[in-house]
């Protein structure tokens, strides 16, 4: 199966796009809702939680895991790839979502001034600036931590006044730093859940980039290049959803965010 991991509901936005492009595969989703948000946690915690999530997905049959979480991709991916996989899981793979997004960044903006909204841990890591400047050194990148958004989204409301207020605060902070920004990357997979609200409050000339379609395209290309992985994947079209939270409300919200019945199963990490 293809494992999809996030701290909570954000990865559903990646899963939706990936399964639309590649419906034939089987997907195993894990949201660590009990311990979300990750974005305000220490690097050591983010690494430990992410590794626990990845190992749980491996144990249930994932051969390939996508960290559908920018925070985990920023903080934990490289260490897992370099220090864990070669020794404990030489035939398994873990992929992140920041480098694939950065690789497309020269196509995003007319002005070359790009804003990135992300969690505190992702912004602290500096990984967006680093990876995007490798692609185009002329880009002007402004990263802004948006710590209010994930807790509000995980609490289940897409369009509450509190969410709108928080979005407005972050829009103002972004343009205070750089008025020439014409593109906003949603650098946290939770944010596309409120993409419509964000778009309705942003100036209309600003393009919003969500990662789902980019990751779907990059995954398709990856599987084309790695025939051994592709042939090892199940094509039963199964969908299994796991969460670390026992809260009934979490299950209800998952259905609503995914747009169909998800039937979350609880796991302990
Ligand atoms: N959705 C995640 C991300 O893309 C994590 C958000 C969080 O748990 O703080 O960064």
């Amino acid at each position: 199966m293809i494992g999809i991991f996030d701290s909570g509901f954000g990865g559903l936005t990646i899963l939706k796009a990936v399964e639309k492009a590649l419906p034939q595969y089987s997907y195993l989703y894990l949201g660590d809702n009990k311990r979300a948000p990750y974005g305000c946690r220490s690097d050591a915690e983010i690494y430990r939680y992410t590794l626990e999530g990845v190992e749980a997905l491996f144990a249930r049959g994932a051969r390939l895991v996508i960290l559908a979480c920018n925070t985990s991709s920023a903080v934990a991916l490289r260490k897992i790839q370099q220090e864990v996989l070669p020794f404990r899981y030489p035939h398994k793979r873990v992929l992140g979502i920041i480098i694939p997004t950065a690789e497309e960044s020269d196509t995003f903006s007319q002005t070359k001034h790009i804003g990135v909204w992300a969690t505190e841990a992702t912004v602290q890591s500096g990984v967006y600036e680093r990876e995007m400047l490798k692609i185009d050194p002329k880009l002007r990148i402004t990263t802004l931590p948006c710590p209010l958004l994930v807790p509000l989204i995980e609490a289940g409301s897409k369009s509450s006044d509190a969410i709108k207020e928080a979005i407005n605060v972050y829009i103002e902070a972004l343009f205070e730093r750089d008025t020439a920004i014409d593109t906003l990357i949603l650098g946290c997979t939770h944010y596309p859940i409120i993409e419509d609200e964000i778009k309705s409050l942003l100036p209309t000339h600003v393009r919003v980039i969500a990662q789902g379609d980019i990751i779907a395209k990059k995954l398709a290309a990856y599987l084309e290049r790695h025939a051994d992985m592709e042939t090892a994947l199940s094509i039963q079209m199964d969908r299994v959803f796991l969460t670390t939270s026992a809260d009934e409300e979490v299950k209800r919200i998952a259905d609503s965010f995914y747009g169909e019945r998800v039937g979350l199963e609880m796991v302990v990490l």
Side-chain angles (χ1 to χ4, degrees), residues 75-212:
V75 175
L77 174 66
R78 185 181 299 199
K79 206 165 145 75
I80 292 174
Q81 285 175 331
Q82 292 179 349
E83 297 177 20
V84 179
L85 296 188
F87 308 103
R88 282 195 251 160
Y89 306 99
H91 302 296
K92 306 209 183 231
R93 294 289 173 267
V94 179
L95 305 176
I97 58 173
I98 295 182
I99 292 176
T101 306
E103 281 170 356
E104 301 286 296
S105 57
D106 56 338
T107 63
F108 293 159
S109 165
Q110 300 278 328
T111 62
K112 290 192 183 284
H113 289 234
I114 298 180
V116 182
W117 281 2
T119 65
E120 278 167 314
T122 302
V123 170
Q124 278 288 323
S125 75
V127 64
Y128 265 102
E129 290 92 331
R130 230 173 15 252
E131 296 301 332
M132 286 162 73
L133 289 173
K134 279 187 204 162
I135 302 298
D136 183 352
K138 291 207 181 78
L139 291 174
R140 282 278 310 275
I141 301 149
T142 303
T143 53
L144 188 78
C146 305
L148 295 174
L149 295 181
V150 171
L152 287 168
I153 294 166
E154 285 281 316
S157 170
K158 286 192 199 186
S159 54
S160 65
D161 287 345
I163 283 194
K164 287 185 188 146
E165 216 176 295
I167 294 171
N168 274 327
V169 167
Y170 295 135
I171 290 175
E172 206 174 299
L174 190 71
F175 289 102
E176 248 170 39
R177 298 209 197 160
D178 183 354
T179 51
I181 286 170
D182 71 346
T183 303
L184 174 62
I185 297 178
L186 305 182
C188 167
T189 55
H190 279 71
Y191 304 164
I193 292 171
I194 52 164
E195 188 173 345
D196 289 345
E197 287 71 23
I198 294 171
K199 280 182 173 160
S200 74
L201 296 167
L202 268 177
T204 49
H205 71 279
V206 178
R207 183 175 175 204
V208 174
I209 306 285
Q211 295 168 289

Side-chain angles (χ1 to χ4, degrees), residues 9 11 26 44-46 55 122 129 151 156 162 185 189 194 238 250 266:
F9 294 124
S26 294
E45 264 178 327
I46 296 166
E55 291 194 304
T122 302
E129 290 92 331
I185 297 178
T189 55
I194 52 164
D238 290 335
V250 163
M266 165 139 185

